């Protein structure tokens, strides 16, 4: 019996605009998968909670400011 493969890190830019958006929160499940949670979805139902990636166009996009 072989062990399941370990998921590799997601390549940079795979999430499209979400990758650099200030409203994105990265969520990991217990199996090691990573999802992009749109925090705008908490106040506005027009934004999907977990958008289909890559996001190429978004009215609510705001670039994240690095510390």
């Amino acid at each position: 019996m072989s062990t399941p493969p370990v998921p590799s890190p997601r390549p940079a830019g795979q999430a499209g605009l979400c990758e650099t958006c200030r409203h994105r929160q990265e969520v990991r499940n217990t199996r090691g998968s990573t999802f992009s949670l749109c925090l705008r979805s908490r106040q506005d139902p027009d934004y999907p909670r977990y958008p289909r990636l890559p996001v190429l166009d978004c009215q609510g996009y705001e670039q994240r400011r690095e510390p």
Side-chain angles (χ1 to χ4, degrees):
M1 181 194 264
S2 64
T3 58
V6 176
S8 60
R10 184 174 5 101
Q14 187 176 350
L17 288 176
C18 293
E19 202 71 40
T20 59
C21 184
R22 66 178 287 233
H23 302 290
R24 174 183 180 242
Q25 179 179 347
E26 194 169 271
V27 177
R28 291 180 189 259
N29 68 11
T30 57
R31 293 183 173 181
S33 296
T34 304
F35 301 91
S36 290
L37 170 64
C38 179
L39 298 176
R40 279 196 177 264
S41 67
R42 293 181 176 169
Q43 284 82 31
D44 190 338
D46 289 338
Y47 291 94
R49 189 169 182 192
Y50 294 99
R52 176 171 272 186
L53 303 179
V55 173
L56 302 177
D57 184 41
C58 179
Q59 293 293 322
Y61 172 79
E62 292 180 38
Q63 188 169 2
R64 177 178 52 233
R65 295 181 186 198
E66 298 299 326

